[in-house]
């Protein structure tokens, strides 16, 4: 079997790339190890930058997004017993849209299948060969049979635990990383959001975040120890801790309801350079990871494959390889801006160490500054809504 671009991974990166290539008249096949049902229901990110929304609309994926997405023009920083609004749209002219990652994934799968796109779910044992030749091959098992996919290029969009990045020979790639001594416990609850805008709360017991998915569904997160055993967090304990960290503003109360899903996610920062080796192009979480505090991961994945889609189009249509050659350097500029912003938001809002009151004082000083200086607030806002050029 042959295609032009073989894509590993049906997350936001792999699916959008396949969609953009189709629109440019380029063939691709997407290989995904999970089932369609699984990837359509995996609960993760929720915030789309203005640029991501514009991109999805431009590529014909805006219909349900415009209907169901929640446009937000500000966020709240809550600390020291008070609420402080960052007026993103007033400061930058741009906004964010709250729309679940799994909804983006569903829309992309629907768009690909509507035009007969080749998406193969539940493939096993994916191996990449011939990446340093003009004729790479992806070998895998599907429905009990050994298969080969011959292609011109491979796009490694298989997330942080994929096979693409480890297929590059040792010594070629450089890793830059940072780990954090905390994790997030996230819940999805059948409770109407008690807030119109997202609340990022700094509290002496640790960070909390109030987000949402719809007028009926809230999404909340608590900073917890990375070793946390979810069994130690029955629903009542989660609500009690959320109350302690969020009900710090007089008269404000949380809405509670049945918890539909809960999970613990570790936090990490990672960039791997360059984002290409020969005929393998890496995109999204397969090549960089950010802690979720800046809401950047999915947006970066979408931005990477937008560049990649244009670069493949220039190669196939005009025989140009300049955009493919520039892909890694161009993408890394946005990646590093998002790395800094995500690290900064994370460091500002979490309880860093139990025994260092100095750091807590610096955080509060920075929080007061960012919520009182228009210049500093604008910096936060323009990073949060997404910088058009970086
Ligand atoms: P994905 O979504 O992980 O997709 C990779 C796909 O590859 C498949 N795969 C393989 N397929 C075939 N063979 C193999 N060997 C394979 N190995 C893996 C996987 O099954 C999967 O389907 O990567 P992609 O496309 O790069 O997208 C990245 C985003 O998913 C990620 O950055 C975001 O979810 C991060 N993130 C957030 N990003 C935002 O922009 N805004 C947010 O508000 C936000 N909040 C979050 C987040 C991530 C979180 N968690 C759970 C890590 C909140 C949380 C809690
Ligand atoms: C979410 O809604 O899941 C969400 C929102 C903002 C973040 C991270 C996650 O920074």
């Amino acid at each position: 079997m042959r295609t032009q671009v073989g894509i590993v991974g049906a997350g936001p990166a792999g699916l959008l790339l396949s969609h953009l290539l189709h629109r440019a008249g380029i063939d691709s096949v997407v290989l995904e190890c999970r089932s369609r049902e699984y990837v359509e229901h995996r609960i993760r990110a929720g915030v789309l930058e203005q640029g991501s929304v514009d991109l999805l609309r431009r590529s014909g994926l805006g219909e349900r997004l415009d209907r169901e997405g929640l446009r937000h023009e500000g966020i709240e920083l809550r600390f020291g017993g008070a609420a402080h609004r960052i007026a993103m749209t007033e400061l930058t002219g741009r906004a964010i849209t709250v729309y679940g990652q799994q909804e983006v994934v569903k829309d992309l799968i629907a768009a690909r299948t509507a035009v007969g796109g080749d998406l193969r779910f539940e493939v096993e044992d994916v191996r990449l060969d011939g990446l340093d030749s003009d004729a790479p091959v992806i070998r895998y098992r599907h429905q009990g049979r050994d298969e080969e996919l011959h292609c011109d290029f491979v796009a490694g969009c298989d997330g942080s635990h994929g096979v693409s990045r480890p297929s590059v020979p040792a010594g070629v790639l450089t890793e830059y990383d940072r780990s954090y001594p905390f994790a997030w416990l996230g819940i999805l609850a059948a409770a109407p959001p008690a807030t119109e805008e997202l609340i990022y709360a700094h509290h002496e017991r640790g960070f909390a975040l109030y987000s949402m998915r719809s007028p009926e569904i809230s999404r909340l997160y608590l900073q917890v120890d990375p070793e946390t055993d979810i069994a130690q967090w029955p629903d009542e304990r989660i609500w009690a801790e959320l109350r302690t960290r969020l009900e710090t503003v007089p008269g404000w109360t949380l809405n509670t309801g049945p918890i539909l899903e809960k999970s613990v996610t570790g936090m990490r920062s990672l960039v791997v350079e360059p984002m290409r080796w020969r005929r393998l192009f890496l995109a999204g979480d397969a090549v960089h990871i950010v802690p979720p505090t800046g809401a950047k991961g999915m947006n970066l994945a979408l931005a990477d494959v937008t560049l990649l889609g244009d670069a493949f189009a220039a190669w196939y249509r005009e025989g140009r390889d300049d955009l493919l050659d520039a892909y890694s350097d161009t993408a890394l500029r946005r990646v590093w801006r998002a790395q800094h912003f995500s690290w900064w938001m994370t460091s500002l809002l979490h309880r860093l160490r139990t025994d260092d009151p100095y750091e807590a004082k610096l955080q509060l000083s920075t929080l007061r500054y960012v919520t009182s200086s228009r210049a500093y607030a604008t910096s936060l806002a323009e990073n949060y809504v997404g910088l058009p050029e970086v």
Side-chain angles (χ1 to χ4, degrees), residues 107-163:
D107 293 347
L108 282 163
I109 291 176
R112 291 306 294 122
T113 48
V115 293
D118 195 342
L119 311 179
R120 302 187 179 195
F121 293 95
E122 298 178 77
V123 304
E124 294 168 276
D125 199 16
V126 172
R127 283 149 294 144
L128 311 184
D129 287 316
L131 294 171
D132 55 349
S133 74
D134 289 348
V137 188
I138 308 180
R139 297 197 163 80
Y140 62 100
R141 283 184 68 73
H142 192 218
Q143 296 169 345
R145 290 214 311 271
D146 287 316
E147 304 278 0
E148 286 188 356
L149 178 63
H150 294 259
C151 40
D152 300 324
F153 299 99
V154 177
C157 302
D158 46 355
S160 52
H161 302 293
V163 292

Side-chain angles (χ1 to χ4, degrees), residues 3-8 27-30 138 149 151-156:
T3 190
Q4 290 176 301
V5 181
I7 300 174
V8 189
D27 261 3
S28 67
V29 174
V30 179
I138 308 180
L149 178 63
C151 40
D152 300 324
F153 299 99
V154 177

